[in-house]
Amino acid sequence: MIEIKKIISAAIAERIQSMNAAAGLDAAAVEAMLEYPPDDKMGDIALPCFKLSRVLRSSPVKIAADLAEGFSTPAVARAEALNGYFNIYLDAEYMARKLMSEVAEKGERYGAPEIGEGKTVVLDYSSPNVAKPFHIGHLGTTVIGHSLRKLHEFAGYKCVGINYLGDWGTQFGKLIVAYRMWGNKELIENGGIDKLVELYVKFHEEAEKEPTLNEKARAEFHKLEEGDEENIALWRWFVDISLAEYQKTYKQLGIEFDSYKGESFYTDKMPAQVQKLRDMGLMKIDDGASIVDLEEYGMPPCLILKRDGSTLYPTRDIAAAVYRKQTYDFDKAIYVTSAGQSLHFKQWFKVVELMGYDWHDKLVHVPYGTVSINGEKLATRTGNVILLKDLFALAVDKVRAIMEEKNPDLRGREDIAEAVGIGAVVFYYLSGSRMKDINFVMEEALSFDGNTGPYVQYTYARSCSVLEKGGEIDLDGDIVITAKEEKDLVKTLLTFEEKVREAIDTYEPSVIIRYILDVASAFNRFYHNCTILGAEDEKVKNTRLMLAGAVKTVLGNAFELVCIKKTEKI
Ligand code: ARG
């Protein structure tokens, strides 16, 4: 609708100019005032004229009436004044032609706002902590992060996806101790990350009884920091095993990263930043630790060095941001984590500002709400976690069973079961606004009824099957719109680009999910109420097939943006 809105606002601005030359309102200002009425009985686009009262020194009712008087422009079928609103009814065939030509011209780029060209966005997401379970709590950062990446890429930004692995810290001292005491090579080689997690958990249990274990762990981590060869080799092995496991999950989601530089990478990059803080007089000693006081900004101090001189989470984030700015010269650096880390990001963003880095305002933290399972908080200790790989396996099993029953001869069934099963989980997760806490209920996540992933994937497959049966389409043929469902569908398909912009501006993949549901419902209404293949009039049939084609393109493009795979058949 963006272009149609532009045409209309230009026409309105011209009118206003002739009504009152001193008003000084340009088309862009008018465009910003346009609204989509909640009910199409009030037009397809409307201008609430109270927004003009002040500049035009007139009542909304009068302004609306003046605008409506003899208003005409190509996109508009009719326009009328009602209760201070200027309501515009668009010409359905004009809109349909616009849609078809754009879809034909742009294809996989249809809906893409060209706003990112020449700009780079760095996205830090997923970033699990090595040797800790990769569970449902990580689903948010992984799929929101990847979706934001896809959205930015779609808009023309160059994107760098970074998996900032939690691959450094005292947990490795613990793991090394635990491995030497209770583990061995075969155990880990065969059992992978699960065995590492078991060792880690066992360490905590034993350390409760035997606190000296903690000292041992610290000593081993210290040796690791000092570059002890044996410890380094173990550490690298633990990281590799974990990464191989994560990669299986990423593959299922269709996710790839450009960089896996984790926390360990920044070890030798921190001293320079710490020195800079010291030189600038920003650092203070507090009970032996080095901090940056942020009281003035209403925040607790940002911890830079522990009493023993070792670095902390914020120290590493500061060094990493400096490195990324130097390496990628980003226009925006996005960090996706749970809202529990919001203060951490506010604090170190402030420190970066105080350090005089003029790019501090390009750092963006994108938080999301917490996940609970069946109403209970996640807890690794009590076992109230669901591993992502188990969750995906359950979802795929369920889809496979349904498909075996309903469509036993389908070819490529395994791939489709995987796409639909995982799509169901992702769709469920991304449906609500990101800040909303999620209570994960397995039956709901894997339900196929109502507004779910399988429903929209099924709708996509339906558009494919209509097109397959419909045969050749004449893309230059006349466009004839006869039914309300057709016009509604055209309108919905035309708003895709606006939704993409909204999703980018608000960092909200859920905007795309809701849009996908709108398209699916408009298409299904059209499909049920308008005969497509059996339409008697050739022009009507051709138009309807073109519409099905536009649906396939739009749904397909939108799926790409939210980690949902396209399924031509189900
Ligand atoms: N590894 C951290 C965690 O699991 C998340 C890292 C987020 N990114 C960052 N640059 N701090 O909590």
Side-chain angles (χ1 to χ4, degrees):
M1 284 290 185
I2 294 180
E3 271 186 56
I4 293 180
K5 272 184 165 175
K6 283 208 182 349
I7 296 173
I8 289 173
S9 35
I12 296 177
E14 205 176 296
R15 277 248 150 169
I16 295 175
Q17 191 64 17
S18 67
M19 279 154 59
N20 180 345
L25 273 182
D26 61 2
V30 175
E31 195 186 329
M33 295 176 189
L34 295 179
E35 288 176 355
Y36 291 122
D39 181 342
D40 56 15
K41 288 197 185 65
M42 298 183 280
D44 301 307
I45 290 179
L47 177 67
C49 295
F50 67 86
K51 294 190 177 172
L52 293 167
S53 297
R54 272 253 306 268
V55 260
L56 294 180
R57 295 166 185 275
S58 182
S59 77
V61 172
K62 171 97 172 56
I63 297 170
D66 288 350
L67 285 174
E69 183 72 38
F71 186 87
S72 117
T73 194
V76 174
R78 72 194 159 90
E80 60 192 29
L82 185 74
N83 301 330
Y85 276 78
F86 179 44
N87 294 338
I88 292 163
Y89 300 81
L90 296 171
D91 182 81
E93 281 161 14
Y94 180 95
M95 284 197 288
R97 266 196 303 277
K98 179 103 205 113
L99 171 72
M100 304 310 184
S101 69
E102 269 195 48
V103 168
E105 188 198 335
K106 298 187 177 154
E108 285 185 358
R109 301 274 312 141
Y110 174 75
E114 307 291 343
I115 52 178
E117 211 194 314
K119 298 194 191 120
T120 299
V121 175
V122 169
L123 299 104
D124 174 319
Y125 63 101
S126 200
S127 311
N129 291 332
V130 171
K132 290 192 187 162
F134 194 35
H135 57 66
I136 192 170
H138 299 101
L139 191 57
T141 167
T142 306
V143 295
I144 294 170
H146 196 64
S147 176
L148 292 178
R149 179 202 175 126
K150 288 291 196 170
L151 281 159
H152 282 86
E153 241 161 27
F154 194 48
Y157 290 92
K158 177 176 184 289
C159 292
V160 184
I162 299 182
N163 194 326
Y164 181 63
L165 288 177
D167 63 357
W168 204 243
T170 39
Q171 79 257 34
F172 288 97
K174 295 175 184 170
L175 210 51
I176 289 170
V177 171
Y179 173 75
R180 291 206 180 112
M181 288 179 76
W182 312 295
N184 60 64
K185 202 159 187 243
E186 288 94 78
L187 181 83
I188 306 297
E189 256 163 14
N190 301 328
I193 192 169
D194 294 346
K195 290 294 162 199
L196 288 181
V197 172
E198 272 176 34
L199 283 177
Y200 189 70
V201 171
K202 187 170 169 83
F203 179 90
H204 280 274
E205 285 164 6
E206 298 295 323
E208 297 247 312
K209 295 175 251 165
E210 186 52 65
T212 55
L213 282 177
N214 284 316
E215 272 151 52
K216 273 196 188 155
R218 260 195 296 278
E220 291 305 332
F221 180 60
H222 189 69
K223 269 167 71 187
L224 181 62
E225 280 188 305
E226 299 291 300
D228 175 85
E229 262 177 48
E230 223 177 286
N231 279 11
I232 291 262
L234 276 180
W235 163 77
R236 194 159 285 148
W237 185 45
F238 295 155
V239 172
D240 286 346
I241 283 178
S242 307
L243 197 52
E245 189 73 33
Y246 303 148
Q247 258 152 353
K248 287 186 206 155
T249 305
Y250 295 141
K251 190 151 177 258
Q252 288 182 297
L253 287 164
I255 295 182
E256 274 173 41
F257 290 93
D258 301 289
S259 159
Y260 281 95
K261 288 195 170 71
E263 297 193 32
S264 66
F265 178 77
Y266 297 97
T267 311
D268 64 354
K269 302 193 171 42
M270 285 183 282
Q273 301 310 316
V274 174
Q275 192 55 42
K276 183 170 159 76
L277 281 166
R278 205 174 277 126
D279 293 346
M280 291 180 80
L282 287 167
M283 230 157 50
K284 229 166 82 172
I285 305 293
D286 183 64
D287 196 19
S290 304
I291 61 158
V292 176
D293 191 351
L294 298 174
E295 202 182 337
E296 214 182 299
Y297 310 99
M299 288 185 271
C302 183
L303 303 178
I304 304 294
L305 298 174
K306 284 195 227 168
R307 290 170 73 154
D308 63 6
S310 57
T311 54
L312 287 133
Y313 190 41
T315 328
R316 261 186 298 282
D317 257 326
I318 293 167
V322 173
Y323 173 84
R324 291 173 189 175
K325 182 66 193 168
Q326 281 163 358
T327 310
Y328 305 111
D329 193 22
F330 54 73
D331 289 277
K332 212 154 57 161
I334 295 171
Y335 298 83
V336 187
T337 78
S338 87
Q341 296 195 29
S342 290
L343 178 61
H344 161 73
F345 282 94
K346 276 202 194 90
Q347 287 175 306
W348 77 259
F349 285 2
K350 191 52 149 184
V351 173
V352 166
E353 180 183 347
L354 294 173
M355 291 171 89
Y357 289 118
D358 60 3
W359 41 267
H360 68 90
D361 55 351
K362 296 184 169 27
L363 303 170
V364 185
H365 179 226
V366 177
Y368 58 87
T370 54
V371 189
S372 49
I373 304 173
N374 299 324
E376 280 177 56
K377 273 182 92 170
L378 297 191
T380 323
R381 297 239 173 107
T382 62
N384 193 36
V385 287
I386 303 176
L387 297 182
L388 282 183
K389 62 175 178 190
D390 295 342
L391 176 64
F392 289 169
L394 276 173
V396 175
D397 284 350
K398 179 168 176 196
V399 177
R400 194 186 294 115
I402 294 177
M403 285 171 63
E404 268 162 21
E405 192 190 307
K406 292 201 174 159
N407 200 351
D409 303 325
L410 189 59
R411 274 207 275 151
R413 205 167 52 194
E414 193 51 36
D415 286 346
I416 297 171
E418 174 131 342
V420 176
I422 290 165
V425 174
V426 172
F427 196 93
Y428 173 78
Y429 193 90
L430 289 180
S431 305
S433 348
R434 63 179 154 77
M435 279 307 279
K436 226 177 105 200
D437 291 339
I438 294 185
N439 179 25
F440 203 94
V441 180
M442 195 62 113
E443 294 79 59
E444 276 176 24
L446 301 187
S447 156
F448 290 4
D449 306 324
N451 293 336
T452 60
Y455 156 71
V456 299
Q457 282 175 309
Y458 183 76
T459 305
Y460 179 79
R462 171 175 275 171
S463 72
C464 296
S465 120
V466 174
L467 288 166
E468 201 181 295
K469 291 189 198 129
E472 198 82 29
I473 302 178
D474 177 8
L475 287 174
D476 301 315
D478 287 340
I479 285 174
V480 184
I481 299 283
T482 56
K484 179 174 176 343
E485 289 83 4
E486 294 168 320
K487 183 182 172 189
D488 288 346
L489 180 56
V490 167
K491 257 171 68 176
T492 307
L493 295 173
L494 275 173
T495 53
F496 185 31
E497 184 179 336
E498 282 156 76
K499 298 292 176 181
V500 174
R501 282 195 195 197
E502 187 187 335
I504 292 176
D505 289 346
T506 56
Y507 303 98
E508 263 304 353
S510 63
V511 169
I512 302 297
I513 297 282
R514 281 195 299 276
Y515 177 68
I516 288 174
L517 287 170
D518 287 346
V519 173
S521 114
F523 175 65
N524 285 321
R525 268 180 281 131
F526 159 75
Y527 183 85
H528 289 298
N529 295 316
C530 304
T531 310
I532 304 177
L533 300 172
E536 279 173 23
D537 185 314
E538 268 310 309
K539 287 178 184 166
V540 170
K541 179 179 170 188
N542 194 56
T543 303
R544 291 182 177 168
L545 282 172
M546 278 164 87
L547 266 174
V551 168
K552 180 182 169 185
T553 302
V554 172
L555 282 183
N557 292 1
F559 284 6
E560 281 287 321
L561 299 175
V562 284
C563 311
I564 308 266
K565 294 200 177 122
K566 294 181 267 193
T567 41
E568 303 244 333
K569 291 203 163 62
I570 277 193

